Amino acid sequence: MDAPHLPTAPATAAGTTPTVSLVLGSGGARGLAHIGVIQWLTEQGYAIQSIAGSSIGALIGGIYANRKLDVYADWVLALERMHVLRLLDPTIGSAGLFKGERIIQVLRELVGDAEIATLPIRFTAVATDLESGEEVWLRQGPLFDAIRASMATPSVFTPARRGGRTLVDGAVVNPVPVAPTVDDATDLTIAVDLSGPVELRPPPVADTPHGDNRYRRQILKFVDSLRPQRKADGDGRGLIDVAFASMQTMQDTITRLKLSGCPPDVLVQVPRNACGFFEFWRAEELIALGRERAAQAMAAALQARG
């Protein structure tokens, strides 16, 4: 494959700014790295004109498209561990452990809602039609309705109803949705994959017997307790651990296939073991990681171009 066409400077001689279609992948709390990627790109002078995202990618991308990412970043940076539990709204006898409405309402109040068609940046939230298995591109209607549908992780959040369809997480069919951006008239397509190769990483700063591991266990214990007749498998992992690991394996395979058929100009990869699914209290670390990986990916792409 030819090296990607990359602008060599934030602005051309004519004073124009390199434009970007940004694709933001799924991955739970790892998606906070998207904030760092966006910060780095905008600081370097790239103009993001189009965003497509699945799940957490739709959330971060939609909030940025509504020009409220700074507000969200300040909020999530102040998020403490036990706040995560308080944002979950358990449901009994439904098609998911949580309704997902509490967190959406909190975010609506925090950053405000908007009609997707009126956003200053073109935005696509990707969801999956549960009945047909089709990939659904949400480009109209209330922003947070589309985000809620794209984030409906199977077995975790209940499905969303929209336009007579039952919708679940876009990651089921397209974890890193490049396809909605292929017709964009931008200079670059940059995709962020939150399921990059596992890396040997230092433990979190607070990773002590009273730190992050304790809270991670508490959250998983709480989530697992909502399942009837729960039982750990032979290596000690509970139902939620096994479910998340299975979804990760499935999404890794789908991502490889999708990206091989529709490759971006630049691929930013965040290691899949950067944090746990619910570890949103690690925002500072993950935002910094996103900035770091964006800088590395862009430098590597420019070097490959020669």
Side-chain angles (χ1 to χ4, degrees):
M1 185 176 67
D2 293 337
H5 170 72
L6 292 173
T8 57
T12 66
T16 58
T17 301
T19 56
V20 170
S21 294
L22 185 60
V23 180
L24 302 178
S26 63
R30 297 195 301 278
L32 296 178
H34 291 323
I35 298 174
V37 173
I38 291 171
Q39 290 175 345
W40 188 89
L41 288 172
T42 55
E43 288 168 5
Q44 297 304 309
Y46 293 94
I48 300 170
Q49 292 190 346
S50 172
I51 296 179
S54 282
S55 200
I56 188 68
L59 173 65
I60 302 295
I63 290 174
Y64 177 75
N66 200 23
R67 303 299 195 196
K68 297 294 180 63
L69 188 61
D70 288 345
V71 176
Y72 175 77
D74 288 343
W75 176 78
V76 79
L77 281 166
L79 194 65
E80 296 182 1
R81 297 173 180 86
M82 294 312 297
H83 290 163
V84 176
L85 276 175
R86 299 190 186 107
L87 290 170
L88 300 175
D89 42 5
T91 180
I92 304 299
S94 296
L97 293 175
F98 308 105
K99 297 175 185 177
E101 301 303 329
R102 184 177 297 166
I103 180 59
I104 292 296
Q105 185 57 36
V106 167
L107 293 175
R108 273 197 179 103
E109 294 171 359
L110 178 71
V111 304
D113 211 341
E115 289 292 316
I116 294 175
T118 67
L119 294 174
I121 295 174
R122 185 183 184 191
F123 174 69
T124 306
V126 176
T128 303
D129 187 316
L130 186 61
E131 301 300 327
S132 67
E134 294 177 341
E135 183 174 333
V136 180
W137 296 355
L138 302 173
R139 290 174 164 170
Q140 296 181 348
L143 174 62
F144 275 100
D145 285 359
I147 290 171
R148 170 65 180 86
S150 185
M151 291 180 61
T153 306
S155 80
V156 178
F157 294 114
T158 57
R161 293 288 298 174
R162 184 181 170 102
R165 286 176 155 181
T166 301
L167 302 179
V168 295
D169 199 324
V172 171
V173 292
N174 202 345
V176 188
V178 177
T181 69
V182 294
D183 292 329
D184 292 345
T186 52
D187 297 314
L188 286 172
T189 299
I190 300 173
V192 185
D193 175 16
L194 301 177
S195 298
V198 171
E199 297 180 4
L200 180 62
R201 300 184 56 76
V205 173
D207 196 9
T208 68
H210 301 290
D212 281 356
N213 277 350
R214 172 192 170 193
Y215 285 99
R216 180 180 183 276
R217 288 195 301 269
Q218 191 167 358
I219 287 176
L220 290 177
K221 181 179 178 181
F222 167 70
V223 172
D224 207 36
S225 71
L226 301 174
R227 291 283 194 181
Q229 299 178 341
R230 60 191 182 279
K231 182 181 180 181
D233 67 4
D235 62 6
R237 287 180 291 186
L239 288 170
I240 295 300
D241 289 311
V242 172
F244 284 169
S246 300
M247 285 190 290
Q248 183 69 63
T249 300
M250 175 190 72
Q251 290 178 18
D252 290 349
T253 301
I254 296 171
T255 297
R256 287 195 297 270
L257 290 172
K258 291 286 187 178
L259 291 180
S260 66
C262 197
D265 296 307
V266 180
L267 180 63
V268 179
Q269 288 193 302
V270 174
R272 67 173 65 93
N273 64 325
C275 73
F277 189 88
F278 287 109
E279 292 180 335
F280 286 90
W281 56 82
R282 295 171 61 180
E284 183 175 4
E285 169 194 349
L286 292 163
I287 291 171
L289 179 62
R291 296 173 67 92
E292 170 194 303
R293 295 311 164 95
Q296 290 175 354
M298 293 299 289
L302 284 169
Q303 185 177 15
R305 183 189 178 214

